[in-house]
């Protein structure tokens, strides 16, 4: 498809992410930071987030597998880190899920934890997918 | 990572502010780095708190401010915060995605100057320089107060001291109040710190004297909070209190040193009195404060009586009179910030407690060595002065370097009389820094203008600048010092105080100035410098602090060039 269309698509995808609450104004900040010196700043940040989130999700899963003695403290820590990470570029929903997870953790609600975690995982994956699409499709368009 | 000791920021402050960012999250590190770079700051990132601490230790004075995450795997952010506060006395900003009130409160209690919530916006980072600036001003003020106290103490022996003490009492209260308002977190009370909030220790004159004595005994190079604490043998004084005070003291000393160096390699405070002069760095050996080298940092209250730090004015050689720091003018005042130039009379020597003959008006702050070369141009009184818009004290960034770690505390504490002096002292120191011109490039960073004052002038100016610095300094503290002026501090102090008090507008300044300028020449120069310094200095101050013995507030207007005076006037008074 021609460039214009591509750009349009990217814009839509981006907008949808915003609308869905996957991104917030923090993301705009990142885009603002992108300049000639760092033309792929946003991409780099998102990539970092991907690796971070996979790591977090993996760690949390591991910690939760051992059901009888779940180390809530540890879970809480992981989740806190994940929350911080996702806030770095405005992954609002993911952040929200993290908060919920932490609440369940502090309440010792294992079921709630698992449930929230699943949701979180799903959201993170979804976000990654979409963001990835935008990035690859709209590399040029991404730059403002 | 850039080299911590970057070149001083001369006139582009806050651009070039050296920031150390500590966060275990690589995503945030990247983002913060980019954001800070966009603010024209120099950024160093660290993923581990341990690494950050070692970096800070290696490059003392290489950073202006630290931004740290709260949750980190290897060390708690609050712990790092405490370490930084105690060892390096840098402003620390905490950040976290968790914004609960209790967490924020904990951060503040541990000494954070700010607590940011993630996600952090660029605009929040733009203004972090205010913390650096504020700290500098406070340091100057603290030093001034310290000097004042010292001065007071050394002033003619006990009688005066007592009198001054008495007089300064109210002033001290004022200063203290003011300081309280400013909420310096350094202050600690003697008392238990059971609550998260640290009690404030009031570093009274006696206490400080004990401290200095202990430091001198141990040897500045080998000094450590524990040793000092043991020697001082004061009940309920904690190691933390001592450590914090020591840091300030170091700052103060280094500032003096710098100034001294700047002014005059000769080193030694020039005090009209014989004793002090010379030797740089004699700790306590003579009245003059010899700050000797930067390494010492200790307050050279040599003062004969008090052993207050010896500021090694180095610079002054001839300038004694310069008393640049006007308030300090009085011999004892050791806080003469000597403009780096030898020629300049300004040696800012911090003469604390030098019981030198009054002629000493030179306040040589310079002698304190500036261990923080790049940090704050304490030395550059002139610099600060110019800059300071906000606080007269702030004369130069350079002041921040003042090695008087204790200063801070002093300011707060109620040093009986000296307090006023201190404020003035700090102010003077500040001023001085300005005057010394520059001794440190660092000054330049901040207020370029201040530099000029100091650097530009030749001796005469120096005094001025120093005064101006004081003045500048004073203004800031002026508020509090109002009461203080003067009485407590014998001449030197009064100028300082005046400055601090701000309220004492010329009158006090003049006095100070008078004191400072022993030689008539200086006065003239003051005018010149004043102009530069302007903002903060009250021409009166420049006149030097006469042997201060008179009540702090005497303005010798005659001495100043009225035109300049007005300039200064405007700027000075806070």
């Amino acid at each position: 498809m021609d460039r214009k269309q591509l750009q349009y698509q990217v814009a839509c995808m981006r907008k949808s992410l915003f609308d869905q609450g996957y991104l917030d104004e923090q993301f705009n900040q990142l885009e603002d930071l992108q300049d000639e010196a760092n033309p792929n700043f946003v991409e780099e940040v998102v990539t970092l987030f991907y690796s971070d989130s996979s790591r977090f999700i993996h760690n949390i899963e591991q910690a939760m597998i051992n059901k009888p003695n779940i180390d809530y403290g540890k879970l809480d820590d992981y989740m806190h880190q994940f929350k911080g990470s996702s806030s770095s570029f405005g992954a609002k929903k993911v952040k929200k899920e993290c908060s919920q997870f932490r609440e369940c953790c502090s309440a010792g609600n294992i079921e709630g934890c698992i449930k929230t975690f699943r949701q979180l995982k799903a959201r993170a994956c979804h976000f990654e997918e979409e963001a990835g699409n935008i990035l690859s499709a709209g590399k040029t368009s991404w730059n403002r | 990572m850039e080299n911590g000791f970057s070149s001083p920021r001369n006139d582009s402050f806050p651009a070039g502010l050296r920031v150390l960012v500590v966060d275990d999250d690589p995503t945030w590190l990247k983002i913060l780095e980019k954001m800070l770079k966009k603010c024209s700051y120099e950024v160093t990132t660290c993923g581990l708190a341990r690494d950050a601490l070692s970096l800070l230790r290696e490059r003392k004075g290489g950073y202006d401010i630290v931004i740290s995450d709260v949750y980190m795997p290897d060390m708690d952010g609050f712990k790092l915060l405490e370490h930084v506060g105690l060892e390096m006395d840098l402003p620390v900003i905490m950040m976290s995605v968790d914004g609960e009130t209790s967490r924020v409160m904990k951060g503040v209690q541990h000494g954070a100057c700010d607590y940011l919530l993630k996600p952090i916006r660029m605009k929040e980072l733009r203004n972090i320089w205010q913390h650096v600036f504020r700290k500098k001003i406070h340091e100057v003020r603290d030093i001034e107060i310290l000097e004042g106290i010292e001065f007071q103490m050394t002033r003619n022996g006990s009688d005066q001291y007592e009198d001054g003490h008495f007089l300064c009492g109210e002033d001290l209260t004022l200063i203290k109040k003011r300081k309280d308002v400013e909420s310096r977190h350094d202050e600690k009370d003697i008392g238990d710190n059971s609550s998260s909030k640290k009690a404030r220790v009031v570093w009274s004159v006696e206490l400080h004297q004990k401290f200095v004595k202990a430091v001198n005994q141990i040897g500045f190079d080998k000094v450590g909070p524990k040793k000092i604490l043991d020697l001082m043998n004061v009940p309920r004084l904690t190691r933390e209190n001592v450590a914090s005070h020591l840091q300030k003291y170091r700052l103060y000393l280094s500032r003096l040193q710098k100034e001294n160096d700047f002014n005059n390699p000769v080193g030694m405070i020039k005090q009209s009195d014989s004793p002090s002069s010379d030797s740089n760095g004699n700790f306590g050996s003579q009245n003059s404060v010899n700050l000797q080298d930067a390494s010492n940092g200790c307050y050279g209250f040599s003062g004969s009586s008090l052993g207050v730090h010896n500021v090694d004015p180095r610079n002054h050689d001839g300038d004694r009179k310069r008393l640049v720091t006007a308030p300090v003018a009085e011999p004892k005042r050791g806080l003469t910030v000597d403009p780096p130039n030898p020629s300049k009379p300004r040696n800012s020597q911090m003469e604390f407690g030098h019981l030198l003959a009054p002629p000493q008006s030179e306040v040589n702050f310079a002698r304190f060595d500036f261990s923080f070369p790049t940090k704050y141009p304490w030395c550059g009184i002139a610099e600060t002065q110019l800059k300071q818009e906000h606080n007269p004290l702030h004369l130069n960034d350079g002041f921040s370097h003042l090695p008087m770690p204790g200063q801070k505390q002093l300011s707060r504490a109620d040093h009986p009389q000296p307090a006023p002096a201190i404020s003035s002292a700090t102010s003077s120191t500040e001023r001085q820094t300005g005057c010394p011109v520059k001794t440190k490039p660092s000054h330049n960073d901040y207020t370029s203008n201040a530099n000029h004052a100091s650097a530009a002038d030749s001796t005469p100016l120096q005094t001025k600048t120093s005064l101006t610095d004081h003045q500048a300094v004073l203004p800031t503290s002026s508020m509090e010092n109002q009461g203080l002026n003067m009485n407590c501090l014998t001449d030197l102090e009064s100028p300082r105080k005046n400055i601090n008090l701000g309220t004492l507008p010329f009158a006090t300044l003049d006095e100070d100035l008078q004191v400072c300028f022993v030689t008539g020449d200086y006065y003239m120069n003051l005018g010149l410098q004043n102009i530069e310094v302007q903002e903060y200095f009250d021409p009166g101050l420049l006149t030097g602090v006469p042997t201060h013995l008179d009540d702090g507030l005497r303005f010798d207007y005659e001495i100043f060039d009225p035109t300049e005076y007005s300039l200064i006037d405007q700027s000075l008074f806070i």
Side-chain angles (χ1 to χ4, degrees), chain B residues 15-289:
Chain B
L17 197 73
R18 293 158 304 169
V19 187
L20 177 66
V21 184
V22 191
D23 196 332
D24 60 313
D25 187 340
T27 316
W28 269 111
L29 271 185
K30 194 178 174 65
I31 295 176
L32 287 169
E33 184 183 19
K34 189 80 174 88
M35 283 186 175
L36 290 165
K37 280 197 170 138
K38 273 220 156 166
C39 298
S40 313
Y41 296 151
E42 281 182 22
V43 188
T44 308
T45 55
C46 241
L48 287 174
R50 263 194 315 269
D51 293 345
L53 263 183
S54 44
L55 256 185
L56 286 167
R57 283 171 183 149
E58 280 167 32
R59 305 179 189 173
K60 286 243 157 119
Y63 299 100
D64 298 311
I65 189 167
V66 178
I67 301 182
S68 169
D69 189 35
V70 170
Y71 289 96
M72 288 190 288
D74 65 328
M75 190 192 294
D76 186 24
F78 295 126
K79 235 190 159 87
L80 173 67
L81 165 64
E82 280 183 359
H83 277 296
V84 174
L86 278 175
E87 296 178 33
M88 295 110 205
D89 201 26
L90 287 177
V92 181
I93 294 179
M94 302 304 294
M95 54 179 181
S96 178
V97 72
D98 177 3
E100 272 175 52
T101 307
S102 57
R103 305 303 295 171
V104 177
M105 194 171 302
K106 194 172 173 193
V108 175
Q109 281 166 354
H110 279 77
C113 38
D114 205 353
Y115 193 107
L116 303 178
L117 287 192
K118 286 180 175 176
I120 298 180
R121 299 279 182 273
M122 195 116 136
K123 59 187 175 205
E124 295 174 35
L125 292 178
R126 270 195 205 283
N127 284 338
I128 59 174
W129 59 266
Q130 62 175 290
H131 304 294
V132 173
F133 200 50
R134 189 180 298 119
K135 211 166 179 86
K136 230 189 299 196
I137 295 178
H138 289 170
E139 280 179 4
V140 169
R141 189 177 304 128
D142 286 342
I143 291 182
E144 298 256 334
I145 289 182
L146 177 63
E147 289 177 352
I149 292 180
E150 291 296 349
F151 181 66
Q152 190 59 27
M153 297 195 295
T154 55
R155 205 159 84 141
N156 309 346
S158 51
D159 297 295
Q160 287 180 344
Y161 177 74
E162 283 158 22
D163 290 345
H165 195 92
F166 177 80
L167 291 169
C168 297
E170 303 89 70
D171 297 330
L172 282 175
T173 318
L174 283 171
I175 292 182
K176 187 156 196 281
K177 277 198 188 137
R178 192 167 139 106
K179 297 247 174 228
D180 288 352
V181 169
E182 289 165 348
S183 60
R184 286 202 47 82
H185 63 270
D186 297 327
E187 278 194 289
K188 295 183 212 194
D189 285 336
I190 293 182
D192 66 28
N193 298 331
S194 48
S195 65
S196 47
K197 190 174 169 56
K198 293 184 181 165
R200 291 186 170 181
V201 164
V202 166
W203 279 89
S204 66
V205 174
E206 296 99 289
L207 196 62
H208 180 73
Q209 279 184 327
K210 271 191 176 164
F211 169 85
V212 175
K213 212 155 120 208
V215 169
N216 291 349
Q217 241 176 294
I218 299 171
F220 190 78
D221 296 326
K222 298 180 258 154
V223 85
K226 185 80 176 62
K227 287 183 186 165
I228 299 175
L229 185 65
D230 292 348
L231 264 181
M232 281 176 72
N233 196 23
V234 172
R236 299 195 307 152
L237 185 66
T238 69
R239 187 195 159 281
E240 215 180 337
N241 299 145
V242 175
S244 167
H245 191 73
L246 175 63
Q247 191 164 34
K248 292 192 181 137
Y249 189 56
R250 282 197 173 120
L251 275 173
Y252 170 74
L253 290 181
S254 82
R255 187 164 74 88
L256 284 182
Q257 184 77 4
K258 282 195 176 145
E259 296 195 0
N260 268 346
D261 286 339
F262 185 86
N263 286 339
N264 196 348
V266 181
M268 299 299 167
I269 303 187
K270 306 184 89 32
Q271 284 175 346
S272 41
D273 298 40
S274 43
S276 44
S277 34
D278 2 330
S279 32
N280 315 354
N282 308 324
F283 248 107
S285 51
Q286 40 208 356
N287 293 344
S288 53
V289 178

Side-chain angles (χ1 to χ4, degrees), chain A residues 2 22 35 43 78 87 93 96 99 106-107 112-113 116 121:
Chain A
D2 73 336
Y22 276 104
D35 55 15
E43 190 184 342
Y78 285 141
S87 69
K93 276 203 172 164
K96 213 162 129 207
S99 303
S106 50
C113 281
T116 317
K121 200 172 166 193

Side-chain angles (χ1 to χ4, degrees), chain B residues 358-417:
Chain B
Q360 302 229 285
S361 51
E362 334 187 72
V363 179
N364 294 324
F365 287 99
R367 275 350 191 133
F368 285 99
D369 75 27
F370 294 84
S371 45
F372 308 89
T374 49
K375 256 188 45 182
Y376 300 102
W378 279 110
C379 315
I381 299 184
E383 295 183 286
T384 49
Q385 300 165 348
L386 299 179
K387 245 257 297 247
Q388 317 307 340
E389 50 273 12
H390 50 251
N391 283 331
L393 278 182
H394 207 75
L395 303 181
N396 302 316
D397 277 337
F399 281 100
S400 53
H401 283 294
L402 281 179
M404 307 246 294
Q407 288 277 348
K408 294 201 194 145
Q409 295 187 344
L410 285 175
S411 49
R412 289 312 179 102
D414 46 281
H415 295 277
Q417 314 185 320

Side-chain angles (χ1 to χ4, degrees), chain A residues 12-26:
Chain A
C12 282
M13 284 161 83
R14 199 167 148 272
K15 184 167 183 302
S16 99
L17 277 182
F18 270 97
D19 290 342
Q20 288 177 64
Y22 276 104
L23 292 178
D24 61 16
E25 61 274 9
Q26 175 68 11

